[in-house]
Each structure stands twice: as C-alpha cells, then as structure tokens.
Amino acid sequence: MTRAEDRILVHEHLAHAAEPKPLSADEKADLEARIKASLKARDAVLVAHYYTDPDLQRLAEETGGCVADSLEMARFGNQHSASTVVVAGVRFMGETAKILNPEKRVLMPTLEATCSLDVGCPADEFSEFCDEHPDRTVVVYANTSAAVKARADWVVTSSCAQAIVEDLDARGEKILWAPDKHLGHYVQKTTGADMLLWDGSCIVHEEFKSRGLEDLKALYPDAAILVHPESPDAVVEMADVVGSTSQLIHAVQTLPNEKFIVATDNGIFYKMQQLAPNKTLIEAPTAGNGATCRSCAHCPWMAMNGLENLLRVLETGDQEVLVDEALRERALKPLRRMLDFTANMNLKAAGNA
C-alpha cells in the first residue's frame, strides 16, 4: 500500500466516524429555522455541492444560495453580495471559494471534510514530480489543495478539461496531469494529447464496475447509462453520456429515455429528480456491500456536512477557511486562466448558436 492510499483509508475512517446522526422531522425543522435566521443575521449565503445531503441542498435553494459544482459554487460566492460564504462540500471547495473571494469570510460545516483526490496528491510529493518533468505543462483538476493549484499552470474541471487540454495539445504542449488517473486517461483518449498521469482516484467513482452495470442494463435495457469520467475506463466505455455533474443533470433533462442508470455520487439524485420529476433514476451498483464497501456511491466526506454542524459554524464563526496570501495569489493564476478560457469558449458558443 502506498503512503497516499494509507492516508486515504485513515481519513475515510475518521469521516465515517464523524457523519451526522439521524434527525427526527421536528429536530430538522428546528435546526432549519435557526439556520435561516443565522444566515440572515450573519449576512451569509449558503452554497452546497450536488453531492451533499438533500436537506442541505434544499436549504441552500430556500435561502437564496445555490446548489452547484465546485467552480460554480465559488463563482456564485464571488458574485453574491453576502460578506460570508458558507460552503457545504469538501475542503478544496472552501479553499477555491477563498482563493476567488479573498475579501469574504469563508466558513464550512467542518474543515475535516476532505477528498481522496486531494489527500492522494500531497503538495510536496507533487512538486517533486513536477520538478522531474520540467518540460511539461502542469494541469491539475479542481479536486486539489490550494498548494497543488499554486504549483500548476492550469486548473480544470471535468466540464472543461477536454477543451483546455485539446487547446494546449494544438500548441504542441506536453501535459503533466493530476490527480485523477481515470479522468486523465479519458481526456488523453479523447484528445490524443501527450499526457503523463499522476496515480490518483476518487474512492466513490473507482468502485463502479462494468460487470455490475452490465447486470443492471440487462434488467433495464431501455435505460441510458450516465457516467462521470472519474470512473474506470471499462465503466466509461459503457456510458451513453460521460460528463461532469452539471452535464449529467442536463442529460437527464434532455434525453428522451424514461430511465437512467447513474454512475456517480448518489447525492446528485436530489437535483436530477427535482429537474426531471418524471424520470426514473437507478443507482449504479458499487463493488461491495455493507461493511466491505468503501464508498457505496456516496462520498464519506460529503456526508460529514449536516444541519447540526452547519448551525454550529454559523453561531460560533469557527471552521473558517484561511489561505496564505502569497499561496492564494499563486493558486489564483491557473484558476484565472481556466475562468478566462471558459468565458471565451462560452462566448464563441453563443456566437455560433
């Protein structure tokens, strides 16, 4: 076992130990009322990721916040007038929000909520890896720490990675990619770019297996298979649609199929069902069951976000995300490159529409 894998298992154990306890309907109602009052009193806005608990996603919507992917969460916080942004998600999302919004206070229900991709790509080891390949352009996925972003030339999300790498490849640049090897391989395969991949993976998406999908497809032959590109290659090859969280949600809304087999974190079902209430959503099986399953299609760190610790952070003001200013400025550069690239890409798409 590598050091990175060891750290991931330890953190995952701690994450499960810290999952919020189940609440009664009355307890939920009381907590939600107090959270709404605290958000208003603190001039705060709640942004929640698609993979968080449905109660948090609904609360973000009801209080004028947003439910989105990590980049849109940060963008929303930047554009909103609130002086405090509360990020329900995992730590790199809070860091990204702080990098883009240095003048705002960024809080999280818990700073212990991390990500296997982040944990599996320590900044010191990654920096050494980059130093060994100085001829390559460093492209890192958003699911990384501020320190790893600061070492990169570009930051990408799953929705824009292919377009950015394709553009870099057209310029003759060779890529050093981190941390997700499955997403990296998918981008490499679709663009033909020269890419050197860091050996990292998401513990949720890595658990999806092609055999399980084959069995489920046999039961639901008319269902479309939706797969996030952080999944293994054999799973990706079975997909009708491969895409980011927002792209998979869009597919449920626009494809004619009545049923969908969804191979990503099951937290996404809240938004999918909300936007496509007449569609049937089927959770893709993971490799294990019960105590033997390391992910069960839901991120253990996302599960650490709950109503109780959300209220606690609003009342105490602790769990604040802080990023060293010099580090923030370095990490901002590759993020800005991505934002500028995607803005231009969207303008071109609008012009061609």
Side-chain angles (χ1 to χ4, degrees), residues 83-142:
S83 59
T84 297
V85 180
V86 184
V87 177
V90 293
R91 184 159 182 150
F92 79 80
M93 298 175 184
E95 287 186 340
T96 302
K98 186 64 178 178
I99 291 166
L100 292 175
N101 307 286
E103 76 289 352
K104 297 190 177 187
R105 193 173 196 195
V106 177
L107 304 175
M108 297 190 71
T110 172
L111 295 177
E112 295 301 313
T114 186
C115 167
S116 57
L117 290 169
D118 186 350
V119 174
C121 188
D124 54 348
E125 295 175 26
F126 178 67
S127 184
E128 290 176 8
F129 185 60
C130 293
D131 290 343
E132 292 170 2
H133 305 280
D135 59 324
R136 290 182 176 267
T137 298
V138 179
V139 179
V140 301
Y141 193 26

Side-chain angles (χ1 to χ4, degrees), residues 156 207 312:
V156 299
E207 291 295 305
R312 189 180 307 116

Side-chain angles (χ1 to χ4, degrees), residues 102 189 194:
K189 188 175 179 180
D194 183 339

